[in-house]
Amino acid sequence: MTGTAGLGPLVDPGPDLGRAELARYARQLALPGIGADGQRRLRAARVLLVGAGGLGSPALLYLAAAGVGTLGVVDDDVVETSNLQRQVIHGESDVGRPKTASAAAAVREINPHVDVVEHGVRLTPGNALDVLAGYDLVLDGSDAFATRYLVSDAAEILGLPCVWGALHRFTGQVSTFWAAPRARDGDEPRGVTYRDLFPVPPPPGASPDCATAGVLGAVCGTIGTTMATEAIKLITGAGRTLLGRLAVHDALQGTWRTLTVHPDPDREPVTELLSGPGDAAGTDPYAVFCGIGGTGQHPAGLSAAELAAERDRGAAPLVLDVREAWEVAADPFPGARTVPSGAFTGPEAGRVVSDVAGWAGGGVVHVLCASGVRSARVAEELGRAGIEARSVAGGTTGTGRR
Amino acid sequence: MIQVRYFAAAREASGTPAEEVSGPTTTGALRAALSARHGPDLGDVLPKCALLVAGARAATDETPVPDGATVDVLPPFAGG
């Protein structure tokens, strides 16, 4: 039996609370299982959120309000208008601001007793252990498989629990992963991690991201808030966490279903992060592991800004925009040919690839999407067909084209 | 009988949250049987899904599925 009950509180209580904090947390102090002792544990807790997006926003809001003493936020994106439908910690006046700064300001407004640490970086194998070290637990609200595996591995190496949530359209999954849970009774059963459930990522393109598939904002709230509750349960020892279980929410059906998940006895423990053949740009070993990164053999692609500059100089680089029609309509890239990324894996893939080959006429194709993920995938497909295709690093949003 | 439960995209593709199939079998034979029963929609999703036999991920197609077991069909997704 994997220990799902009997986890002790993760965090030791901090000093006594002042009068202002006692007044603020009155409704929480009244709760069995939390009380003044639990509130002091929350005050002493250090929680890291990876991603201040759809999941990170509600989780941050509730953890800040609940009085978690230190909240770290990792994100290297800036707030965009298309985020506001679901990333509720950011507002209209935050558009263009770094998400870490926007989130930190919101947290301070909600609860001045919380210290916010801004990590305005993209998590990489080079910095992940440094960023995660010193926190008591991590909440993974990132939006790419590569980051998911990186966070899982770093948390396992550091012995941290990882509260994990993921979204797809109207459904969400949430669990608590912890390779080596600390149990109250001294019994230390092997815990479950993301790798026990999904040892390898799906093929690129098999599981579309939010930009392609869409996601309902309120579902982000449901799953992100559940992640906050898991964090509070872990910190205070209240209740029964989702360690050893995975909860699946289907908003359209109005159901929550829970799966039991066991560790894979044959899985080797993770003791170091994946490492790549070199440290050149575009060789993140986690991106390669997920089939979306450069392998180091591809020439570096131009950025969207550089392509626009080339066009302004009178050159006519072939830009293949693989975003969805609605994304193109909202922010067209002038002069680009448009074919949504899904067409390259659908039944018409052969015809579409030969269209692109015709447009290219033996020349270079610059493949463009919003962030560089879909374009990398399509560039791989085109490369297999013998077309010289380069993914536009960072996509339309990455390099400040505007 | 084996109870098969479908989640998220696997539920959409199969059109049902759960169903019963005869057992015992193996995970490989079960994947083939479910694809045959539900056609290409599930056939596309199934290879990407983790099959959890009584909560443990089936590592190979030869993993036995005893009669009476519950098998959860869980697609991966990463959106956040």
Side-chain angles (χ1 to χ4, degrees):
Chain A
M1 201 46 217
T2 305
T4 52
L7 291 177
L10 181 67
V11 178
D12 290 333
D16 285 336
L17 302 169
R19 190 176 282 183
E21 287 173 283
L22 290 171
R24 172 180 287 267
Y25 304 125
R27 298 295 178 280
Q28 211 157 276
L29 295 167
L31 288 173
I34 297 194
D37 178 82
Q39 194 65 53
R40 286 164 55 201
R41 294 182 195 275
L42 290 170
R43 182 73 184 87
R46 299 173 52 87
V47 176
L48 180 71
L49 287 98
V50 179
L55 293 168
S57 290
L60 271 166
L61 292 172
Y62 277 103
L63 292 176
V68 170
T70 304
L71 288 171
V73 188
V74 187
D75 208 307
D76 71 334
D77 277 344
V78 297
V79 179
E80 294 175 47
T81 306
S82 66
N83 299 150
L84 301 180
Q85 156 264 5
R86 67 195 180 286
Q87 300 183 13
V88 293
I89 204 166
H90 313 296
E92 180 70 29
S93 63
D94 296 315
V95 171
R97 253 180 127 183
K99 285 188 181 177
T100 45
S102 167
V107 165
R108 291 187 189 107
E109 172 62 21
I110 288 166
N111 190 343
H113 302 285
V114 175
D115 293 325
V116 195
V117 183
E118 298 174 39
H119 303 276
V121 295
R122 174 156 291 266
L123 216 54
T124 68
N127 65 19
L129 293 174
D130 283 341
V131 171
L132 266 67
Y135 287 96
D136 298 306
L137 77 156
V138 54
L139 270 62
D140 181 0
S142 61
D143 60 0
F145 284 104
T147 312
R148 303 269 181 195
Y149 284 98
L150 175 58
V151 172
S152 177
D153 288 355
E156 179 166 353
I157 290 166
L158 295 168
L160 304 181
C162 177
V163 177
W164 176 92
L167 305 164
H168 179 68
R169 295 189 168 151
F170 297 96
T171 58
Q173 304 176 355
V174 55
S175 188
T176 290
F177 295 128
W178 199 358
R182 249 184 285 149
R184 189 175 1 226
D185 50 13
D187 167 37
E188 293 202 7
R190 169 92 185 272
V192 183
T193 74
Y194 186 52
R195 282 191 184 270
D196 288 302
L197 212 52
F198 295 111
V200 293
S207 182
D209 58 19
C210 286
T212 313
V215 62
L216 188 69
V219 174
C220 303
T222 303
I223 301 297
T225 307
T226 305
M227 293 170 72
T229 305
E230 282 296 294
I232 291 168
K233 285 155 60 184
L234 281 162
I235 292 163
T236 61
R240 178 188 177 207
T241 70
L242 284 170
L243 184 64
R245 293 181 295 154
L246 179 89
V248 182
H249 175 54
D250 183 328
L252 285 185
Q253 299 293 327
T255 55
W256 276 97
R257 296 201 289 166
T258 308
L259 295 73
T260 301
V261 287
H262 293 300
D264 176 354
D266 296 328
R267 184 176 74 80
E268 291 291 325
V270 174
T271 55
E272 56 183 26
L273 299 179
L274 296 179
S275 54
D279 291 328
T283 57
D284 178 348
Y286 282 85
V288 173
F289 175 61
C290 294
I292 54 171
T295 57
Q297 293 149 3
H298 299 288
L302 297 177
S303 70
E306 288 164 337
L307 285 168
E310 273 210 9
R311 198 190 51 236
D312 292 345
R313 284 200 306 273
L318 174 58
V319 179
L320 178 68
D321 188 338
V322 297
R323 293 175 297 164
E324 300 297 301
W326 59 266
E327 295 176 273
V328 175
D331 180 24
F333 191 90
R337 302 266 190 172
T338 58
V339 182
S341 58
F344 291 89
T345 51
E348 295 288 295
R351 182 184 61 76
V352 171
V353 169
S354 72
D355 282 352
V356 174
W359 298 334
V364 176
V365 182
H366 301 276
V367 189
L368 177 73
C369 69
S371 70
V373 174
R374 284 171 284 170
S375 59
R377 202 167 69 219
V378 172
E380 293 273 350
E381 295 280 343
L382 294 174
R384 275 195 285 277
I387 299 168
E388 192 178 343
R390 294 176 194 166
S391 174
V392 176
T396 56
T397 56
T399 49
R401 179 162 63 90
R402 288 173 209 89
Chain B
M1 298 301 275
I2 293 161
Q3 162 98 344
V4 180
R5 305 197 302 167
Y6 298 100
F7 293 88
R11 186 201 182 286
E12 289 166 31
S14 69
T16 181
E19 64 186 348
E20 292 198 322
V21 298
S22 57
T25 182
T26 62
T27 46
L30 182 63
R31 281 182 195 270
L34 298 177
S35 292
R37 180 183 290 200
H38 292 288
D41 281 358
L42 187 65
D44 285 348
V45 175
L46 207 50
K48 302 155 199 159
C49 292
L51 290 195
L52 304 173
V53 180
R57 188 185 58 82
T60 73
D61 280 351
E62 283 78 53
T63 304
V65 184
D67 204 18
T70 296
V71 177
D72 291 324
V73 181
L74 185 69
F77 46 85

